Amino acid sequence: MAPIRVLVVDDAAVLRRLVARALTSAGGIDVVGTAGDGEQALEQVERLAPDLVVMDLEMPALDGVGAVRELRRRGWATPVVMVSTPTDDGAEATLRALAAGATDFFPKPSRASSPAEALARVRDGLVPVVRALAGHAAAVGPGRAPASSVHVGRPVVPPLAPAAARPPVVAPAPSAGPAGVVRPPVVHVAALHPPAVDAPAPARPVAPAAPAPAPLAASRPSASTGRGVPGEPAVPAPRPGSPARPPAPAAHAPARTAPVAAAPHPAASPLPAPAASSPSSPSPGRRGAGLPAVVAVGSSTGGPEALARLLQALPADLPVPVVVTQHMPPVFTRQLAVRLDRLGPLSVREAEDGDDLRPGRVLVAPGDRHLVLRRAGADVVVQLSQAAPVNFCRPAVDVMLRSCVDVHGAGVLAVVLTGMGSDGRDGCADVRRAGGAVLVQDAETSVVWGMPGAVASAGLADAVLPLDAVAGAVASACRRGAPAHAGGAR
């Protein structure tokens, strides 16, 4: 397998050496060049065409945000992982870089007790991200891709079958074999839709049929970010006009990396009314057939921009509350909530203990805290927990979803967006068993089709939708009968 070719960009020579040593010591990764600022990085990308760039945020001449923006303006779809400082300013700059087209970020190893510890933290946290985002870039070749050719979603899937016709929920199979995730067909849950509609958009070239998805690899922890760091690959980005390179076998596929291009989609079809809960699955918070009591969203790699797109498109009068778990460390989640609050019509804040759920309010799980729901008299409130990580993640999507089911039973609408790992799969199984509904983002518009792919591959998704169609599906599901209240709080 050809090694992953990485360019390391940082104005501090000691950090360039640290990152380069951490990457090369892991095997299968070559640092093909270094740069001391954004302008040099642009020159090196043009000259070396690396598979991935690891870039500092704060640099002279041209900083990381400006460099990413210019790379995307020139059409380079190369994955860029930002190395950021875990401060309010660093988190805010990181989110600006992600909005400009960066793929992911990695916090600098601050407060390391020794150079060896710093090296280990960089290696354990950064290497899995690099492999997941660019493992197959050496096979498909680097190149330029116009923004319109990246992250363009497929047509919205047709209306779902009635709830009674849904396939039964099955327990996910244990991970085994190679950790590969392949791009699925347009309609990912075949039992829900007639085969006749499984066709690509007319304007898109038809890709060869892909084999069935392989089992997903279990996540392992990242000491620096707290996120699960799985072995699943990202979905390869189309690269029209790319210079040809000799093919080489590889186990991973690269992430889609240019900024998500706005692609118009017709309004999403409404979800069916959830099936009635089984006798063993209580539904204490259900307020009416088919009406969600809460929308619970989970995301990881690529999630900040996917969340921005989703929340911007939801109506200001959304009649139910929204809870979000995004895999991010402390400080970053607070800045994420601030940014999302500015961008969309809904009120967004980082959750605090005792926050009540209100229609139209979005509560984001803080970094290093699980977000769970509990009843407080007639109200439903948030409780934050530092219980053990689940799927090596804290906050974890599974924890949030299970608590939503405990409180609201069939009244849960789960939404799983782009991200590495399989966090959210088991929680979605609980949602389906209780009679709730599950939407997942499709592979075409995901940066990494790990979390949503795990849910879809386990047969747990009611619909697999392009990112731009998710908000319409959520709004439609929440308006079949406007609730008088949400969890007893307004």
Side-chain angles (χ1 to χ4, degrees):
M1 181 175 70
I4 301 168
R5 304 169 66 256
V6 177
L7 172 67
V8 176
V9 185
D10 199 303
D11 61 322
V14 64
L15 282 175
R16 288 199 302 271
R17 289 194 295 269
L18 175 66
V19 171
R21 183 180 172 193
L23 294 176
T24 56
S25 67
I29 301 174
D30 284 350
V31 175
V32 296
T34 61
D37 59 47
E39 291 181 350
Q40 294 177 19
L42 295 174
E43 296 172 359
Q44 294 280 55
V45 169
E46 295 282 355
R47 185 173 67 86
L48 299 171
D51 298 323
L52 183 139
V53 178
V54 177
M55 187 181 301
D56 189 23
L57 271 169
E58 300 173 4
M59 298 181 293
L62 183 65
D63 65 9
V65 177
V68 169
R69 187 176 292 116
E70 180 61 18
L71 278 175
R72 299 309 181 223
R73 189 192 69 78
R74 297 182 185 185
W76 284 96
T78 308
V80 179
V81 178
M82 309 305 299
V83 180
S84 59
T85 305
T87 64
D88 280 320
D89 288 345
E92 193 275 334
T94 299
L95 292 171
R96 284 193 288 112
L98 293 173
T103 316
D104 203 356
F105 73 97
F106 176 78
K108 288 184 179 178
S110 59
R111 300 189 181 91
S113 61
S114 67
E117 181 188 348
L119 180 68
R121 284 166 60 180
V122 173
R123 182 180 59 244
D124 293 346
L126 185 57
V127 167
V129 174
V130 168
R131 285 177 172 160
L133 293 178
H136 197 232
V140 298
R144 303 174 186 274
S148 60
S149 74
V150 183
H151 281 302
V152 178
R154 301 275 189 161
V156 176
V157 296
L160 295 169
R166 292 185 190 179
V169 178
V170 295
S175 291
V181 174
V182 296
R183 182 156 46 197
V186 178
V187 180
H188 307 289
V189 188
L192 298 179
H193 313 294
V197 299
D198 189 4
R204 293 177 61 90
V206 179
L216 295 160
S219 301
R220 62 188 184 82
S222 162
S224 300
T225 66
R227 295 178 292 187
V229 182
E232 296 94 76
V235 180
R239 303 181 185 224
S242 309
R245 296 181 63 185
H252 302 290
R256 239 171 290 278
T257 57
V260 178
H265 297 286
S269 304
L271 290 171
S277 301
S278 66
S280 61
S281 302
S283 306
R286 195 173 186 192
R287 295 159 297 154
L291 179 66
V294 65
V295 176
V297 185
S299 53
S300 185
T301 306
E305 287 312 296
L307 288 168
R309 291 272 292 279
L310 170 63
L311 297 182
Q312 280 180 298
L314 289 175
D317 60 347
L318 188 74
V320 299
V322 180
V323 289
V324 174
T325 288
Q326 159 70 37
H327 294 165
M328 268 184 161
V331 181
F332 291 88
T333 48
R334 181 169 66 246
Q335 290 300 322
L336 174 66
V338 169
R339 178 171 181 265
L340 294 175
D341 185 62
R342 292 171 181 165
L343 289 177
L346 301 177
S347 171
V348 185
R349 57 179 289 179
E350 187 181 52
E352 298 179 1
D353 260 319
D355 276 342
D356 58 338
L357 270 65
R358 304 176 186 176
R361 171 188 273 187
V362 182
L363 297 176
V364 178
D368 202 35
R369 298 289 191 278
H370 293 305
L371 183 153
V372 299
L373 304 188
R374 64 177 178 84
R375 288 203 171 271
D379 294 340
V380 174
V381 299
V382 164
Q383 182 176 8
L384 302 180
S385 165
Q386 273 200 300
V390 174
N391 302 313
F392 305 106
C393 302
R394 191 171 58 207
V397 180
D398 277 341
V399 172
M400 176 184 70
L401 290 178
R402 285 165 176 159
S403 76
C404 288
V405 170
D406 288 343
V407 170
H408 289 299
V412 181
L413 174 56
V415 179
V416 181
L417 303 177
T418 174
M420 292 194 301
S422 59
D423 188 27
R425 179 182 58 189
D426 294 346
C428 284
D430 290 341
V431 171
R432 285 290 305 276
R433 289 189 191 99
V438 176
L439 301 176
V440 302
Q441 184 178 349
D442 71 356
E444 294 294 322
T445 59
S446 292
V447 172
V448 180
W449 209 62
M451 287 166 52
V455 175
S457 298
L460 300 170
D462 290 290
V464 179
L465 300 170
L467 177 58
D468 285 343
V470 175
V474 170
S476 179
C478 294
R479 290 188 182 283
R480 284 196 301 272
H485 66 286
R490 265 203 186 278

